Amino acid sequence: MDQNAGSFLAMRRLSGGGIVHHHHSSPAPAEVMGASTAWIGRGLSCVCAQRRDSDARLSFDLSPIQEECLQRLQNRIEVQYDSSNLEHQKALKALWRASFPGTELLGLVSDQWKEMGWQGKDPSTDFRGGGFISLENLLYFSKNYPKSFQELLCKKNGDRALWEYPFAVAGVNVTFMLIQMLDLQAAKPSSLIGAVFLNLLLENDRAFDILYCITFKLMDQKWLDMNATYMDFNTVIKSTRRQLERELLLEDIQRIEDMPSYRFLAR
């Protein structure tokens, strides 16, 4: 985000009853906070939450309904993928059917999974960073925006690089990045971005899933615009994050579907 981000943030007004408290202590030096990224393939790493000198220090008091809404999403985020859980196995099989209809899956551990962009023949090992919600996000994308999902899975659009990003692992990265960007594991929002998103979540309890679809499609569009290759993934997803932050702070965003990048999605 550019150096004027602080003044830009102040332009976004909140609705929904959240009370904003400004803390006037001096901001901490800009830093990048590390995270465990064992699940991420070579050349791919998470875009970790950043603290910037220009960020205002804010805290938000939530109404009971806001707390309940946030807690429901946090409950989803806390669920880890469990390869022995029959419901998790069922969801993974459903993702395969949505991705490759008519192609029989030989097993939950199979080299076939590499065709979807998992790192190995057992996709459960790639969910460590994003948890079960990252599988839910991919499945929601496949069911609600199948045309866009297939375009990304099969790399149908644009002049693609010789070394493309692996679809499934990139999808887990997107989930992880959004959780960090929105600070969704905190008890309450600590940034204006997080507070704005919480209002959108109140309007639509599937806002996170829709934002995931928007983000994945936007990331692919930026990938093409930047003529990116595999090793450029971090640069592309950082650029994607900056655009999401700008769009969420626009005055006329009342629903998640109002985001300008929503137009990239096709059913």
Side-chain angles (χ1 to χ4, degrees):
M1 188 175 292
D2 60 37
Q3 294 181 349
N4 295 322
S7 60
F8 178 70
L9 289 175
M11 293 171 63
R12 181 62 160 93
R13 292 193 297 271
L14 281 175
S15 61
I19 301 174
V20 184
H21 299 285
H22 295 261
H23 296 281
H24 299 289
S25 56
S26 299
E31 60 180 351
V32 177
M33 297 181 286
S36 174
T37 58
W39 54 278
I40 300 173
R42 290 173 298 175
L44 300 182
S45 63
C46 66
V47 179
C48 298
Q50 297 182 11
R51 182 178 299 155
R52 305 177 180 86
D53 288 331
S54 58
D55 282 351
R57 285 192 168 188
L58 307 173
S59 65
F60 299 85
D61 292 336
L62 304 181
S63 67
I65 191 171
Q66 288 174 320
E67 289 181 352
E68 181 181 348
C69 190
L70 177 59
Q71 187 60 57
R72 283 198 301 270
L73 180 55
Q74 289 176 333
N75 289 343
R76 291 178 61 196
I77 291 170
E78 290 171 4
V79 177
Q80 296 301 308
Y81 182 83
D82 181 358
S83 58
S84 66
N85 186 308
L86 294 180
E87 287 301 315
H88 292 194
Q89 293 177 17
K90 182 179 177 181
L92 190 56
K93 291 176 182 177
L95 179 63
W96 176 268
R97 290 193 299 271
S99 301
F100 304 109
T103 301
E104 181 183 0
L105 176 64
L106 300 180
L108 291 176
V109 177
S110 167
D111 283 329
Q112 288 175 293
W113 290 107
K114 296 177 184 179
E115 299 174 29
M116 196 186 295
W118 300 103
Q119 295 184 78
K121 60 183 181 180
D122 183 2
S124 68
T125 61
D126 289 332
F127 287 121
R128 288 194 295 259
F132 183 60
I133 194 172
S134 59
L135 174 54
E136 291 182 313
N137 289 156
L138 282 167
L139 198 51
Y140 182 90
F141 192 7
S142 70
K143 291 180 176 180
N144 291 272
Y145 303 97
K147 185 174 186 295
S148 289
F149 179 87
Q150 287 293 330
E151 287 172 350
L152 269 60
L153 172 65
C154 301
K155 306 294 195 298
K156 292 182 178 179
N157 294 338
D159 185 13
R160 314 303 305 202
L162 179 62
W163 293 97
E164 278 288 318
Y165 64 84
F167 172 79
V169 174
V172 177
N173 271 264
V174 169
T175 298
F176 189 63
M177 182 270 282
L178 289 175
I179 291 171
Q180 288 201 317
M181 181 185 82
L182 301 171
D183 199 19
L184 291 176
Q185 292 175 306
K188 59 183 178 179
S190 59
S191 68
L192 190 53
I193 292 286
V196 167
F197 174 75
L198 184 54
N199 281 337
L200 299 177
L201 190 63
L202 282 172
E203 193 275 333
N204 185 341
D205 62 2
R206 282 296 184 176
F208 184 78
D209 300 272
I210 298 172
L211 181 60
Y212 172 88
C213 301
I214 293 171
T215 304
F216 208 158
K217 185 63 175 173
L218 174 62
M219 186 275 292
D220 187 74
Q221 184 62 48
K222 285 187 172 291
W223 180 274
L224 293 173
D225 292 344
M226 297 168 67
N227 296 312
T229 62
Y230 184 80
M231 297 303 292
D232 298 318
F233 184 84
N234 288 339
T235 300
V236 173
I237 205 167
K238 286 177 182 178
S239 176
T240 303
R241 173 174 171 161
R242 287 193 294 269
Q243 181 160 337
L244 290 172
E245 291 173 333
R246 289 193 294 268
E247 292 189 15
L248 284 169
L249 294 172
L250 295 173
E251 281 290 328
D252 57 350
I253 305 300
Q254 303 299 321
R255 307 176 307 136
I256 197 72
E257 295 89 347
D258 293 334
M259 292 181 65
S261 290
Y262 180 76
R263 72 185 188 278
F264 289 128
L265 289 173
R267 297 182 185 274

